[in-house]
Structures are given as C-alpha cells and as structure tokens.
Amino acid sequence: MKYVFASIASLALAHPSFGQDITAEIGLSTLGLYAAPVVEMNENINIRIPLYFGSQNYSYSENGTTVDGKVTFESAGVMVDYYPTGSGFRLSGGLSAGGYSFKATTASLEFEGTTYTSDFNLNIKQDKNIAPVFALGYVRPLGQSGWAILAEAGARVTHLTATVSGQENLTAADKNAFDTDFNEFNDELTKNNLIPFITIGASFRF
C-alpha cells in the first residue's frame, strides 16, 4: 500500500496540468511530526499528501510499578482539500495508510482495582491499517511572503485495539479473571470508532 501512495504522490507532483502552485506544509500533530506536499488543482481544490512520523519513549512509575513504553508514529495519506471561498477555511477528506502504536512492558496491570503481577508486554494500535479521514482546517497567509500558518482538526474512522502477552504466567483462576478484565478494556477501546487529531503548523508556497 505504501507504494500506491508513493505513486499517487509522484504523479500529483510531476504532472504540470495539476496547477502552477506547489505548497509544502510542516508542523506538529497528535499523529506525529507532520509534513505534506500540496498541489493546487484549481482555485478551490488542492491535493495533499500528509505524512506523519516520529517516535516518543514513555516511562511511568506508580506504587513501585514501572511502565516502559514507546509510541511510534508512521502513516501517510491522500487528501482532497476544498476551499469554499478559494482560501482560508477548508474541508478535507481522504484515506490514510498506517497509524500509530504504543508498545510497553510492565510487571503489573490493574483493571477495576484488581492488580495482576507478571511480565506483561502490552501493544495498543490502530485497528485498521487503511482508514477514511475527514478534517476541517484554516490556512492564514502572512502577507505576500508565501508563508502561511495553519490549523486542522479531524478524525480517522477507526478505533484502537490492544493485545497483551504474559498472562500465561498467572494462576488459572487469575488468568481467567485477567482475560475477562482485558476483554472489557478492549471493548471500551472499540466503542469509539473515531481517532481524533489536531495539527498546527506553517506552509510555504513556491
């Protein structure tokens, strides 16, 4: 799938009939570091290839228990931006490939006041690798410099899901109780079928 997105991006940027203006956007998002080439199709329509990447280590301690983990951001997409007035406010829709995941190790996990002790490996990630995306954004030019500031809020139409290993070291009774509690935890994750995001940044029109 990554080769499909790469092909679409290269075609969009290489075809001169797509428009005279090419813009580069960069910024920071709750989905990771953000960068996107943008090609103007006409006064109201742009094609944007958003890329999100990066990673962040995570360590948390409470009551003698330490959780060591890492969040990884890695995704790309194809978005159509519609500017109703030709500039400023935009409506966007498209598809994304990839997502972000959280992997952690810990000596204990707690659900509903019950603590389970073992060598757990926890993984929380986006359920679907390919997901629809919708967003609202605003781009404000800074005079005639070619620079602009931007903000965007949207959501991917999918949910998070969790997997875990290490519960096999529990007693049979504790393992059954753990599996029940963990399944309930996963059910709570899947109730929200949207993964929201916010992006702020800047752009430059070449």
Side-chain angles (χ1 to χ4, degrees):
M1 180 56 65
K2 64 182 180 180
Y3 301 109
V4 174
F5 280 109
S7 298
I8 294 173
S10 62
L11 287 172
L13 294 177
H15 202 301
S17 65
F18 278 8
Q20 299 178 350
D21 294 315
I22 295 178
T23 301
E25 295 185 353
I26 56 172
L28 182 63
S29 174
T30 52
L31 297 174
L33 297 175
Y34 167 73
V38 184
V39 177
E40 182 180 306
M41 302 285 286
N42 55 49
E43 181 183 353
N44 300 100
I45 301 292
N46 287 351
I47 299 295
R48 178 162 51 103
I49 312 296
L51 308 172
Y52 303 94
F53 52 92
S55 63
Q56 178 66 51
N57 292 324
Y58 174 89
S59 184
Y60 175 73
S61 297
E62 183 176 356
N63 298 327
T65 298
T66 299
V67 178
D68 292 314
K70 184 177 184 179
V71 181
T72 301
F73 308 92
E74 191 175 59
S75 63
V78 176
M79 299 289 285
V80 177
D81 298 327
Y82 171 62
Y83 291 84
T85 62
S87 63
F89 176 73
R90 73 187 183 194
L91 301 168
S92 305
L95 290 173
S96 69
Y100 59 88
S101 65
F102 173 67
K103 295 182 179 181
T105 59
T106 182
S108 68
L109 287 172
E110 181 178 328
F111 300 102
E112 299 295 333
T114 301
T115 300
Y116 301 93
T117 302
S118 184
D119 293 324
F120 292 110
N121 291 288
L122 179 67
N123 184 17
I124 300 176
K125 65 177 183 177
Q126 186 175 300
D127 181 60
K128 296 178 181 178
N129 189 50
I130 306 296
V133 187
F134 61 89
L136 301 175
Y138 188 81
V139 180
R140 181 180 178 83
L142 300 177
Q144 302 298 318
S145 65
W147 287 95
I149 56 175
L150 64 93
E152 182 176 59
R156 291 178 172 176
V157 186
T158 183
H159 60 259
L160 298 175
T161 187
T163 57
V164 68
S165 63
Q167 66 270 39
E168 62 274 7
N169 298 322
L170 301 172
T171 64
D174 283 348
K175 182 180 181 301
N176 289 335
F178 177 88
D179 288 341
T180 299
D181 287 340
F182 191 79
N183 287 336
E184 291 178 354
F185 169 71
N186 239 336
D187 288 341
E188 289 298 317
L189 287 179
T190 59
K191 283 181 180 178
N192 185 2
N193 287 318
L194 296 176
I195 299 179
F197 65 89
I198 297 174
T199 303
I200 57 174
S203 66
F204 183 77
R205 173 173 289 185
F206 296 94

